[in-house]
Amino acid sequence: MHKLTQWFRKNKLTNILVYKIVLVFAIFNSTLYAKNELIESQPEILFQYDKLKKTQENLAIQVEFNKAVLFLGKGEYKKAIEILERTSPIIEIPSKLNIGIAYYKLGAIDKAIVYLNSIYENKTASNTNTYSYMSACYYLYQISKDNKYLDTIVKIARKYKDLTEHSKRMLADTYIILKEYKSALKILNAMDYAMDLKKALLYIKLKDYEKANILLEKAQNNTLNPNRLNHILWFRVFIDLKSNNIERLRENLDLIQERKSIFKANQDLPLEIFFNENKYTAKDYLDFVLKFDDDRNYSFLFYFAPFIFSDSQEIIYDSSKGFIFNSQGNLDSLEEMVEYNNKFLSIIKEDPIIRVVKLKKLLATDTKSYIYYNLALSYTHIQDYFNAHKHFQKAFKLNPGNKLYAVMTLITANKLGKKLKDQDYIDAIIRSKEGTYNYFAKKVYKLFINEEYKFEKEALSYKNTIFSKALDYLEKLKNNEHTIDHPLLSKHFKDPLTYLMRLVYRNENESNYKYFSRLQDSVPLTLNNNFLEGPLIITKYYIDILKAIGLMKKADLTIVGKKSPSYLRTKALSDLHLGKPDETIKTIEYLQKEYKLEDKYTMYLLVAGLLEAGRYNDASIQISLIKAILNDKDADFLTAVQLIQELKISSAKQYITQAYKDALIDFKLIGFDEYLESL
């Protein structure tokens, strides 16, 4: 009896030792990478049979089972199978599961299916061996990609609330495959294990970059594996880029620079720019529609700003220099004004892009200031702010007493991020008491340049103009005091932009359900020609509405037989969303050749088309061209992204000067989803 007791203790000790070895191996193995330095996407395969009967025979079986598990962990699958075949009569379900996994690893898929399917068809196993049953479903999905197996896992999890930690992890992995990231995160947050990296990547998928950064920082502090640490730093750089956190981005790039000799994360998870048709969430798009950002504020201002028809204000200013009434030249100037008005009244009815082309032809060596101003304003309607600023500036230099020219010069400079040498001089002119368009200029100045600026002059006779109403609405919108009864919306509802603004206005106490139901029922999806051509602000506003309510794919963005350039540009965008980038490229290249378009929107649309068509090098050349022509900061940022991928850190940092804003081009980590599924 004493010897039997000694034997029992000895074998029990051996069993405990094997268990510890297995557990240590499991923990150690979870920190290592398989081939390609990626953790294999598999559930935990080390199963312990906790309810073995305390008999000599069953203890021996348990030891054998643990040996098989060790062989599995070392990749010696045939040895594992040989042992598991012997343990399966006693430890049936876990043994069959591991046999199935071993055959799966060996590539013997048919044999794997036999064993895994024998578990799946044994429905009672979902009660008695829940985790093993869920694991079998998981591997059957990996083999067949049939979602019924994932659905089974979810149903079992919902049925049994008191799941083990392994079962919870299995469920979280299932949700990740199903792209239900919120559900996966909810499960992981309820677990005892930290899994900071996995949760951080889920927050990245949900675009909650701040929470992702907090967890990545924790994971970084708790990580010793150099490869894993490199990946964490790479993810941190990625979220800094996505969240426009320039200061933190520079700090993390410095950390990568220090580890450059051993840093390979950029090869494992390449950073690449691409066209993202849904760069923002539906909520983001709705916010863009309801709460204007700076870009939309600028577009709104220029859309409602008045053209100048050689009016009396211009004549009065010139008369102070003695040009109008003291010489024959002044009479000629007056005749020129009348002639220009006649031409302009015809041109203003044209498509905005054609309008720019025709107004450029009216320029001459002695061009008057208002001709430059009208051309500049037309450029803003196609969102070519580079050329708009150039011509606003010419108008101002010819007529510095016109404060509207002055403030438009200042605003377009700000839009381009350009510091003017004579900015203080222009600022002083706008603030002065003398000059034409005094009220409008000061109102615009207060709204866009200096919110603290105060002036007492009222609109007076200008009060009933649409421009005055637009400025008043914009001010109330910024202060969240706007209403649907505002004169801009109530009296000018036939205008395409105000029609859409009125349509998306959210009534007080209107529930989410009623609001979105109303929008989906009322936003035009077919009778929408007025939104597909004309000033670019209208089309972009309409597209944002469609994306906010999830109807972008259902809207008909075609006008049969229409060839106007602004519509063709909309068609190019539509083709891009419909997966026809070659058509987009063809259309944009035609527009650039025919109408000499050099605006940022058109050029980035071409970049998006090239990227979507897989012409990465051509897209990079186009980005360099945008940078050279427009000195564009977004092009600088995209250049920095490409340099970061090449680990040219010092060069990249020189191009990162301000937040990235383009709505078409985004960046991603190739292999991100696979990496997440492997954790």
Side-chain angles (χ1 to χ4, degrees), residues 615-673:
R615 295 166 57 179
Y616 196 87
N617 290 336
D618 290 337
S620 296
I621 293 171
Q622 184 68 17
I623 290 169
S624 299
L625 187 63
I626 296 172
K627 183 178 177 300
I629 295 176
L630 304 180
N631 190 28
D632 181 61
K633 299 303 179 184
D634 285 341
D636 282 347
F637 200 98
L638 292 178
T639 300
V641 170
Q642 296 174 87
L643 290 171
I644 290 171
Q645 167 58 27
E646 298 170 7
L647 296 189
K648 296 178 180 178
I649 304 301
S650 298
S651 298
K653 288 171 66 177
Q654 295 178 15
Y655 288 105
I656 302 171
T657 57
Q658 65 183 43
Y660 178 72
K661 296 180 179 179
D662 185 73
L664 294 174
I665 312 302
D666 203 354
F667 16 88
K668 62 183 176 181
L669 293 176
I670 305 298
F672 184 97
D673 287 357

Side-chain angles (χ1 to χ4, degrees), residues 98-111:
N98 283 328
I99 293 172
I101 293 173
Y103 277 127
Y104 175 79
K105 293 295 183 180
L106 288 169
I109 302 301
D110 290 340
K111 291 183 178 179

Side-chain angles (χ1 to χ4, degrees), residues 339-400:
E339 182 181 356
Y340 173 80
N341 281 348
N342 289 333
K343 292 180 179 178
F344 187 77
L345 286 172
S346 174
I347 293 173
I348 202 173
K349 299 175 183 177
E350 297 275 9
D351 180 272
I353 295 175
I354 294 176
R355 184 191 305 159
V356 166
V357 173
K358 290 189 175 182
L359 286 177
K360 283 170 65 178
K361 293 179 180 179
L362 298 182
L363 297 179
T365 54
D366 59 346
T367 298
K368 305 291 287 182
S369 61
Y370 53 82
I371 298 178
Y372 282 116
Y373 167 82
N374 287 340
L375 175 57
L377 193 60
S378 296
Y379 270 120
T380 67
H381 293 167
I382 63 173
Q383 296 190 4
D384 184 347
Y385 296 114
F386 182 83
N387 280 305
H389 172 71
K390 182 170 68 176
H391 290 90
F392 277 136
Q393 201 168 32
K394 287 183 178 180
F396 169 69
K397 287 180 177 179
L398 286 172
N399 188 350

Side-chain angles (χ1 to χ4, degrees), residues 5-22:
T5 303
Q6 281 186 320
W7 181 91
F8 180 83
R9 287 177 177 172
K10 181 181 177 181
N11 278 273
K12 183 176 182 182
L13 181 62
T14 302
N15 185 49
I16 292 171
L17 180 59
V18 171
Y19 178 83
K20 287 183 176 179
I21 291 172
V22 171

